[in-house]
Amino acid sequence: DTEVTQTPKHLVMGMTNKKSLKCEQHMGHRAMYWYKQKAKKPPELMFVYSYEKLSINESVPSRFSPECPNSSLLNLHLHALQPEDSALYLCASSQDLGTANEKLFFGSGTQLSVL
Amino acid sequence: LAKTTQPISMDSYEGQEVNITCSHNNIATNDYITWYQQFPSQGPRFIIQGYKTKVTNEVASLFIPADRKSSTLSLPRVSLSDTAVYYCLVGDMENYGGSQGNLIFGKGTKLSVKP
């Protein structure tokens, strides 16, 4: 299994809603990532988890709250989002964090619309 | 942290060979060069990775000159399905603790293949 699975594929939420994005991989990877991608822009790194611990937070607003319950799962909890947070949210995994020739495996993303 | 520069866009016709060059003048000794392909509304997909000289797989070739200040992704005999954005990432994942080049996507090259 070389897939990273993200659910839901599409999500529409109001600014007062609380929702969660989910990501799962069964490749035994120990590093997991959240990226945000606006239309016609490159993916922007948000968070990095290594061995279920948060390693990198790219100064993301607190209305985005990541969680890594175990080595296979990664969640992104959303609360009080703004319309400008509408984007494609991508999850990725890699074998480890800290190997020079590492490569990322991405899911298909969750297309989020905030009304 | 090596910064990459790629052409914003390229056009090609089916059956042609396409070469996309990435400049990374500040590449460090331990840095690898990794290329990803991204289709609209999907996550990036790993294509190829190299450190020096030439690397070839079933999808593409990667040419890296001796000074490693640039690299060229070569796609043989492109088809319409190769229309995508191609990203070059350069960095060393061993020095994590801050943002790393091979987690950071530049603007990429939008390749359009015409019939």
PDB file of all heavy atoms in Angstrom, chain B residues 13-32:
ATOM      1  N   TYR B  13       4.835  19.818 -27.819  1.00  0.00           N
ATOM      2  CA  TYR B  13       3.897  19.025 -28.592  1.00  0.00           C
ATOM      3  C   TYR B  13       4.097  17.552 -28.273  1.00  0.00           C
ATOM      4  O   TYR B  13       5.184  17.132 -27.854  1.00  0.00           O
ATOM      5  CB  TYR B  13       4.085  19.273 -30.090  1.00  0.00           C
ATOM      6  CG  TYR B  13       3.642  20.658 -30.510  1.00  0.00           C
ATOM      7  CD1 TYR B  13       4.547  21.706 -30.575  1.00  0.00           C
ATOM      8  CD2 TYR B  13       2.310  20.909 -30.829  1.00  0.00           C
ATOM      9  CE1 TYR B  13       4.145  22.984 -30.951  1.00  0.00           C
ATOM     10  CE2 TYR B  13       1.893  22.176 -31.213  1.00  0.00           C
ATOM     11  CZ  TYR B  13       2.811  23.204 -31.267  1.00  0.00           C
ATOM     12  OH  TYR B  13       2.404  24.459 -31.625  1.00  0.00           O
ATOM     13  N   GLU B  14       3.065  16.800 -28.473  1.00  0.00           N
ATOM     14  CA  GLU B  14       3.143  15.363 -28.223  1.00  0.00           C
ATOM     15  C   GLU B  14       4.308  14.738 -28.982  1.00  0.00           C
ATOM     16  O   GLU B  14       4.573  15.093 -30.130  1.00  0.00           O
ATOM     17  CB  GLU B  14       1.847  14.683 -28.677  1.00  0.00           C
ATOM     18  CG  GLU B  14       0.684  14.869 -27.736  1.00  0.00           C
ATOM     19  CD  GLU B  14      -0.501  13.992 -28.109  1.00  0.00           C
ATOM     20  OE1 GLU B  14      -1.098  14.235 -29.182  1.00  0.00           O
ATOM     21  OE2 GLU B  14      -0.798  13.057 -27.354  1.00  0.00           O
ATOM     22  N   GLY B  15       4.987  13.828 -28.329  1.00  0.00           N
ATOM     23  CA  GLY B  15       6.079  13.111 -28.966  1.00  0.00           C
ATOM     24  C   GLY B  15       7.429  13.768 -28.831  1.00  0.00           C
ATOM     25  O   GLY B  15       8.461  13.142 -29.102  1.00  0.00           O
ATOM     26  N   GLN B  16       7.454  15.042 -28.380  1.00  0.00           N
ATOM     27  CA  GLN B  16       8.731  15.738 -28.230  1.00  0.00           C
ATOM     28  C   GLN B  16       9.364  15.410 -26.889  1.00  0.00           C
ATOM     29  O   GLN B  16       8.697  14.979 -25.945  1.00  0.00           O
ATOM     30  CB  GLN B  16       8.524  17.245 -28.355  1.00  0.00           C
ATOM     31  CG  GLN B  16       8.181  17.720 -29.749  1.00  0.00           C
ATOM     32  CD  GLN B  16       8.150  19.234 -29.846  1.00  0.00           C
ATOM     33  OE1 GLN B  16       7.883  19.928 -28.865  1.00  0.00           O
ATOM     34  NE2 GLN B  16       8.411  19.755 -31.036  1.00  0.00           N
ATOM     35  N   GLU B  17      10.661  15.642 -26.817  1.00  0.00           N
ATOM     36  CA  GLU B  17      11.369  15.559 -25.551  1.00  0.00           C
ATOM     37  C   GLU B  17      11.334  16.940 -24.895  1.00  0.00           C
ATOM     38  O   GLU B  17      11.550  17.952 -25.554  1.00  0.00           O
ATOM     39  CB  GLU B  17      12.823  15.138 -25.762  1.00  0.00           C
ATOM     40  CG  GLU B  17      13.639  15.074 -24.464  1.00  0.00           C
ATOM     41  CD  GLU B  17      15.103  14.760 -24.723  1.00  0.00           C
ATOM     42  OE1 GLU B  17      15.813  15.648 -25.236  1.00  0.00           O
ATOM     43  OE2 GLU B  17      15.532  13.642 -24.406  1.00  0.00           O
ATOM     44  N   VAL B  18      11.039  16.959 -23.607  1.00  0.00           N
ATOM     45  CA  VAL B  18      10.969  18.227 -22.880  1.00  0.00           C
ATOM     46  C   VAL B  18      12.050  18.255 -21.806  1.00  0.00           C
ATOM     47  O   VAL B  18      12.210  17.287 -21.054  1.00  0.00           O
ATOM     48  CB  VAL B  18       9.584  18.410 -22.229  1.00  0.00           C
ATOM     49  CG1 VAL B  18       9.581  19.615 -21.300  1.00  0.00           C
ATOM     50  CG2 VAL B  18       8.511  18.577 -23.308  1.00  0.00           C
ATOM     51  N   ASN B  19      12.760  19.357 -21.759  1.00  0.00           N
ATOM     52  CA  ASN B  19      13.791  19.551 -20.740  1.00  0.00           C
ATOM     53  C   ASN B  19      13.441  20.770 -19.893  1.00  0.00           C
ATOM     54  O   ASN B  19      13.295  21.873 -20.418  1.00  0.00           O
ATOM     55  CB  ASN B  19      15.163  19.752 -21.387  1.00  0.00           C
ATOM     56  CG  ASN B  19      15.616  18.516 -22.138  1.00  0.00           C
ATOM     57  OD1 ASN B  19      15.586  17.411 -21.608  1.00  0.00           O
ATOM     58  ND2 ASN B  19      16.022  18.695 -23.384  1.00  0.00           N
ATOM     59  N   ILE B  20      13.307  20.573 -18.611  1.00  0.00           N
ATOM     60  CA  ILE B  20      12.997  21.669 -17.675  1.00  0.00           C
ATOM     61  C   ILE B  20      14.207  21.845 -16.770  1.00  0.00           C
ATOM     62  O   ILE B  20      14.615  20.913 -16.075  1.00  0.00           O
ATOM     63  CB  ILE B  20      11.749  21.358 -16.834  1.00  0.00           C
ATOM     64  CG1 ILE B  20      10.561  21.025 -17.734  1.00  0.00           C
ATOM     65  CG2 ILE B  20      11.421  22.546 -15.933  1.00  0.00           C
ATOM     66  CD1 ILE B  20       9.326  20.572 -16.969  1.00  0.00           C
ATOM     67  N   THR B  21      14.751  23.043 -16.778  1.00  0.00           N
ATOM     68  CA  THR B  21      15.954  23.325 -15.988  1.00  0.00           C
ATOM     69  C   THR B  21      15.604  24.064 -14.708  1.00  0.00           C
ATOM     70  O   THR B  21      14.737  24.928 -14.690  1.00  0.00           O
ATOM     71  CB  THR B  21      16.952  24.150 -16.812  1.00  0.00           C
ATOM     72  OG1 THR B  21      17.360  23.379 -17.945  1.00  0.00           O
ATOM     73  CG2 THR B  21      18.181  24.496 -15.988  1.00  0.00           C
ATOM     74  N   CYS B  22      16.288  23.691 -13.669  1.00  0.00           N
ATOM     75  CA  CYS B  22      16.115  24.317 -12.355  1.00  0.00           C
ATOM     76  C   CYS B  22      17.481  24.837 -11.906  1.00  0.00           C
ATOM     77  O   CYS B  22      18.472  24.101 -11.957  1.00  0.00           O
ATOM     78  CB  CYS B  22      15.584  23.279 -11.374  1.00  0.00           C
ATOM     79  SG  CYS B  22      15.363  23.867  -9.687  1.00  0.00           S
ATOM     80  N   SER B  23      17.509  26.092 -11.502  1.00  0.00           N
ATOM     81  CA  SER B  23      18.750  26.678 -10.985  1.00  0.00           C
ATOM     82  C   SER B  23      18.732  26.666  -9.463  1.00  0.00           C
ATOM     83  O   SER B  23      17.719  27.038  -8.861  1.00  0.00           O
ATOM     84  CB  SER B  23      18.902  28.118 -11.482  1.00  0.00           C
ATOM     85  OG  SER B  23      19.016  28.151 -12.885  1.00  0.00           O
ATOM     86  N   HIS B  24      19.835  26.246  -8.889  1.00  0.00           N
ATOM     87  CA  HIS B  24      19.965  26.223  -7.417  1.00  0.00           C
ATOM     88  C   HIS B  24      21.400  26.571  -7.081  1.00  0.00           C
ATOM     89  O   HIS B  24      22.196  25.693  -6.682  1.00  0.00           O
ATOM     90  CB  HIS B  24      19.526  24.887  -6.822  1.00  0.00           C
ATOM     91  CG  HIS B  24      19.675  23.701  -7.738  1.00  0.00           C
ATOM     92  ND1 HIS B  24      20.882  23.061  -7.944  1.00  0.00           N
ATOM     93  CD2 HIS B  24      18.769  23.058  -8.499  1.00  0.00           C
ATOM     94  CE1 HIS B  24      20.708  22.065  -8.780  1.00  0.00           C
ATOM     95  NE2 HIS B  24      19.429  22.036  -9.144  1.00  0.00           N
ATOM     96  N   ASN B  25      21.726  27.848  -7.233  1.00  0.00           N
ATOM     97  CA  ASN B  25      23.107  28.309  -7.098  1.00  0.00           C
ATOM     98  C   ASN B  25      23.686  28.101  -5.709  1.00  0.00           C
ATOM     99  O   ASN B  25      24.904  28.011  -5.556  1.00  0.00           O
ATOM    100  CB  ASN B  25      23.198  29.793  -7.472  1.00  0.00           C
ATOM    101  CG  ASN B  25      22.936  30.022  -8.950  1.00  0.00           C
ATOM    102  OD1 ASN B  25      23.420  29.270  -9.788  1.00  0.00           O
ATOM    103  ND2 ASN B  25      22.180  31.056  -9.264  1.00  0.00           N
ATOM    104  N   ASN B  26      22.829  28.073  -4.691  1.00  0.00           N
ATOM    105  CA  ASN B  26      23.327  27.967  -3.316  1.00  0.00           C
ATOM    106  C   ASN B  26      23.209  26.555  -2.759  1.00  0.00           C
ATOM    107  O   ASN B  26      23.171  26.371  -1.548  1.00  0.00           O
ATOM    108  CB  ASN B  26      22.569  28.939  -2.412  1.00  0.00           C
ATOM    109  CG  ASN B  26      22.787  30.381  -2.811  1.00  0.00           C
ATOM    110  OD1 ASN B  26      23.890  30.751  -3.205  1.00  0.00           O
ATOM    111  ND2 ASN B  26      21.743  31.189  -2.737  1.00  0.00           N
ATOM    112  N   ILE B  27      23.177  25.574  -3.623  1.00  0.00           N
ATOM    113  CA  ILE B  27      23.025  24.194  -3.167  1.00  0.00           C
ATOM    114  C   ILE B  27      24.184  23.816  -2.252  1.00  0.00           C
ATOM    115  O   ILE B  27      25.335  24.166  -2.497  1.00  0.00           O
ATOM    116  CB  ILE B  27      22.922  23.225  -4.371  1.00  0.00           C
ATOM    117  CG1 ILE B  27      22.510  21.835  -3.897  1.00  0.00           C
ATOM    118  CG2 ILE B  27      24.202  23.211  -5.182  1.00  0.00           C
ATOM    119  CD1 ILE B  27      22.113  20.897  -5.026  1.00  0.00           C
ATOM    120  N   ALA B  28      23.857  23.118  -1.173  1.00  0.00           N
ATOM    121  CA  ALA B  28      24.870  22.725  -0.202  1.00  0.00           C
ATOM    122  C   ALA B  28      25.370  21.309  -0.486  1.00  0.00           C
ATOM    123  O   ALA B  28      24.732  20.538  -1.209  1.00  0.00           O
ATOM    124  CB  ALA B  28      24.288  22.799   1.216  1.00  0.00           C
ATOM    125  N   THR B  29      26.483  20.969   0.132  1.00  0.00           N
ATOM    126  CA  THR B  29      27.142  19.691  -0.133  1.00  0.00           C
ATOM    127  C   THR B  29      26.226  18.495   0.072  1.00  0.00           C
ATOM    128  O   THR B  29      26.258  17.536  -0.687  1.00  0.00           O
ATOM    129  CB  THR B  29      28.383  19.541   0.760  1.00  0.00           C
ATOM    130  OG1 THR B  29      29.254  20.640   0.537  1.00  0.00           O
ATOM    131  CG2 THR B  29      29.109  18.241   0.464  1.00  0.00           C
ATOM    132  N   ASN B  30      25.406  18.552   1.114  1.00  0.00           N
ATOM    133  CA  ASN B  30      24.561  17.401   1.437  1.00  0.00           C
ATOM    134  C   ASN B  30      23.207  17.403   0.737  1.00  0.00           C
ATOM    135  O   ASN B  30      22.414  16.485   0.914  1.00  0.00           O
ATOM    136  CB  ASN B  30      24.311  17.346   2.944  1.00  0.00           C
ATOM    137  CG  ASN B  30      25.566  17.066   3.734  1.00  0.00           C
ATOM    138  OD1 ASN B  30      26.476  16.413   3.235  1.00  0.00           O
ATOM    139  ND2 ASN B  30      25.629  17.585   4.942  1.00  0.00           N
ATOM    140  N   ASP B  31      22.923  18.433  -0.046  1.00  0.00           N
ATOM    141  CA  ASP B  31      21.587  18.580  -0.643  1.00  0.00           C
ATOM    142  C   ASP B  31      21.344  17.605  -1.788  1.00  0.00           C
ATOM    143  O   ASP B  31      22.209  17.405  -2.648  1.00  0.00           O
ATOM    144  CB  ASP B  31      21.395  20.005  -1.169  1.00  0.00           C
ATOM    145  CG  ASP B  31      21.207  21.019  -0.074  1.00  0.00           C
ATOM    146  OD1 ASP B  31      21.015  20.611   1.088  1.00  0.00           O
ATOM    147  OD2 ASP B  31      21.241  22.229  -0.386  1.00  0.00           O
ATOM    148  N   TYR B  32      20.148  17.030  -1.817  1.00  0.00           N
ATOM    149  CA  TYR B  32      19.661  16.265  -2.950  1.00  0.00           C
ATOM    150  C   TYR B  32      18.701  17.126  -3.760  1.00  0.00           C
ATOM    151  O   TYR B  32      18.187  18.131  -3.276  1.00  0.00           O
ATOM    152  CB  TYR B  32      18.924  15.008  -2.469  1.00  0.00           C
ATOM    153  CG  TYR B  32      19.834  13.864  -2.136  1.00  0.00           C
ATOM    154  CD1 TYR B  32      20.641  13.899  -1.004  1.00  0.00           C
ATOM    155  CD2 TYR B  32      19.889  12.740  -2.955  1.00  0.00           C
ATOM    156  CE1 TYR B  32      21.485  12.847  -0.695  1.00  0.00           C
ATOM    157  CE2 TYR B  32      20.729  11.676  -2.652  1.00  0.00           C
ATOM    158  CZ  TYR B  32      21.519  11.742  -1.525  1.00  0.00           C
ATOM    159  OH  TYR B  32      22.346  10.699  -1.223  1.00  0.00           O
TER     160      TYR B  32
END
